């Protein structure tokens, strides 16, 4: 089973960017947590981060994964194109956010991914990625999620 972890714009700065919101762990450290859990679950993970919407969409179009964890960052609130790509590739995905966008600025209340994701994990910090992986793998194995 192949899982793609997609991180959107500015997530490469996690660990130094607004640590009071996003925490002090780097994206590489978060990915190590996911990688370790993937080994325990017996699944493979691939990581992709881009600050460019089109590159993220192109990566999804490759369709070389069974399911995805998607932290779209700010694209969550702006990108119909990303939503369309996630629907077009027809792979289940779990939306994940380090913070809880609904508890932040009012414009973050718009979410183009929530209703097409199989689950959303928000406000759990780095642990949220692991929870999202667990939910996705359970779903892919037919156990819900």
């Amino acid at each position: 089973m192949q899982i793609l972890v997609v991180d959107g714009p500015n997530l490469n700065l996690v660990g130094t960017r607004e640590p009071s919101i996003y925490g002090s762990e780097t994206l590489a450290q978060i990915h190590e947590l996911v990688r370790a859990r993937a080994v325990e679950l017996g699944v493979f993970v691939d990581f992709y981060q881009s600050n460019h919407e089109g590159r993220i969409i192109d990566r999804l179009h490759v369709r070389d994964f069974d399911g995805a964890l998607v932290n779209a960052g700010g694209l969550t609130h702006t990108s119909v194109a990303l939503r369309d790509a996630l629907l077009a590739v027809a792979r289940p995905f779990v939306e994940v956010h380090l913070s809880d966008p609904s508890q932040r600025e009012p414009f973050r209340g718009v979410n183009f991914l929530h209703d097409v994701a199989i689950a959303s994990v928000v406000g759990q910090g780095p642990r949220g990625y692991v929870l999202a992986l667990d939910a996705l793998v359970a779903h892919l194995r037919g156990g819900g999620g």
Side-chain angles (χ1 to χ4, degrees):
M1 184 181 303
Q2 184 69 40
I3 306 299
L4 177 64
V5 179
V6 175
D7 292 293
N10 300 309
L11 289 164
N12 56 304
L13 299 178
V14 168
T16 59
R17 173 191 177 206
E18 300 172 274
S20 63
I21 296 172
Y22 300 107
S24 59
E25 289 188 73
T26 66
L27 192 60
Q29 290 170 320
I30 294 168
H31 287 173
E32 279 306 312
L33 292 173
V34 174
R35 189 175 283 110
R37 182 64 178 143
V39 168
E40 292 171 357
L41 293 170
V43 300
F44 299 96
V45 289
D46 186 27
F47 300 95
Y48 185 79
Q49 188 279 324
S50 180
N51 294 318
H52 305 279
E53 179 181 33
R55 288 184 183 158
I56 293 169
I57 291 168
D58 288 343
R59 177 63 185 91
L60 291 168
H61 286 181
V62 175
R63 296 184 192 193
D64 61 348
F65 56 96
D66 300 300
L69 305 184
V70 178
N71 185 343
L75 295 175
T76 302
H77 320 293
T78 63
S79 184
V80 173
L82 178 58
R83 174 195 172 93
D84 288 349
L86 286 161
L87 289 169
V89 300
R91 302 291 192 276
F93 75 96
V94 175
E95 174 190 24
V96 61
H97 295 282
L98 295 165
S99 68
D100 183 348
S102 72
Q103 300 301 308
R104 295 181 55 202
E105 303 92 341
F107 66 84
R108 294 186 196 275
V110 173
N111 184 329
F112 287 108
L113 306 182
H114 181 76
D115 66 316
V116 294
I118 62 161
S120 294
V121 180
V122 301
Q124 299 294 313
R127 178 176 172 261
Y129 278 73
V130 174
L131 295 172
L133 179 63
D134 287 345
L136 180 60
V137 171
H139 175 82
L140 289 168
R141 290 182 174 158

